Amino acid sequence: MRHTTLKQLRFLSAVIKTGTVTAASSAMNVTPPAITAQVKALEDLVGMPLVERVGDRFIPTSAGAEIASTLARIEALLNECGSALAELKEAGSGRVSIGVVSTAKYFAPMALAAFRQERPKVDINFFVGNRDETILALKNYEVDLAIMGRPPAEFDVESKAIGGHPQVMIASPSHPLAGKRDIDPRDLLDEIFLVREAGSGTRNSFNALMSEYTGGRELREFEMGSNETIKQAVMAGLGISFISSHTIAPEVEAGRMVILDVVGLPIMKTWFVVRRTDKRLLPAAEALHAFWLKRGAEFLPKISGKVA
């Protein structure tokens, strides 16, 4: 690998990401034969195939996937170098990339705005995704920091607690259980539950909670792709939902939905700021990391556990 070029690595990565030579050539702004030639040269250098055709697309071999992963680390180091040089030129500037799970988007922008008041020259790249997307961005060195409820276990990270994260059961104000006290979770088994996609942190917590009471019984669940869709459906009376209290403050305060007083709730989780242990944080990212640890809890909505 000593004689490989960055161009060859990037062309291979483009083929893997796009699945075709034509799409890769368009992404890299070169001709398809140039892509083919460079990938072939890299395969000859390595001495084994790096991609294989499955149907009408190329997928990486084990060797190709290893090289693509190495390129991701190289690109991250090059970006770090560029940012470090920029910060050397102008103190207090720089760039930081942060990813947050979709539930955290209800408070993260306020925290980032406050950080910008302290460091107005810092550019912030703000990524919002579900849990799997945020973990992937962190794994691929696409973000410096991530805000999430449960740190990944698939690779080495450092996670620091920001503050508490209550999860509650919500319903329309007209729901028969609204206003009742000490509701037994078993009394919810006939309800229609509006739930997030499989794999989300909230969905995992909901499954763990209800598994204690279902006795193997299958619940009626309607899966929805966002908290906003769930909230609108709950307010319309289509069902109830288990959700982060940090997503519902305006609606609860306005009386458009209520938090049900279910025994054992709220379930208290924790928000974390997470970083890869093998990724060096430049001054701008270090400053944002320190800001989250010092002031992050200030921006969490303050309706924890409030019931109708």
Side-chain angles (χ1 to χ4, degrees), residues 205-278:
S205 294
F206 171 74
N207 290 342
L209 168 69
M210 297 309 295
S211 66
E212 299 180 24
Y213 305 102
T214 58
R217 174 180 171 181
E218 188 172 335
L219 300 174
R220 290 191 295 171
E221 299 176 349
F222 288 170
E223 186 172 298
M224 297 183 173
S226 73
N227 291 321
E228 287 303 312
T229 305
I230 286 176
K231 290 195 295 181
Q232 292 299 322
V234 167
M235 288 186 288
L238 295 180
I240 66 175
S241 184
F242 180 78
I243 199 168
S244 164
S245 70
H246 289 158
T247 69
I248 58 173
E251 293 82 5
V252 171
E253 295 300 329
R256 297 196 297 271
M257 70 171 59
V258 297
I259 297 175
L260 298 179
D261 185 27
V262 179
V263 174
L265 297 185
I267 292 177
M268 187 63 72
K269 299 292 186 177
T270 305
W271 285 116
F272 294 95
V273 56
V274 183
R275 56 172 290 186
R276 287 199 63 135
T277 55
D278 63 351

Side-chain angles (χ1 to χ4, degrees), residues 38 77 92 118 126 150 175 195-196 223 227 256 295 302:
Q38 291 293 337
L77 289 172
E118 295 184 2
F126 182 41
R150 181 165 53 90
H175 193 281
V195 298
R196 285 292 303 274
E223 186 172 298
N227 291 321
R256 297 196 297 271
R295 297 189 55 193
K302 303 297 192 295

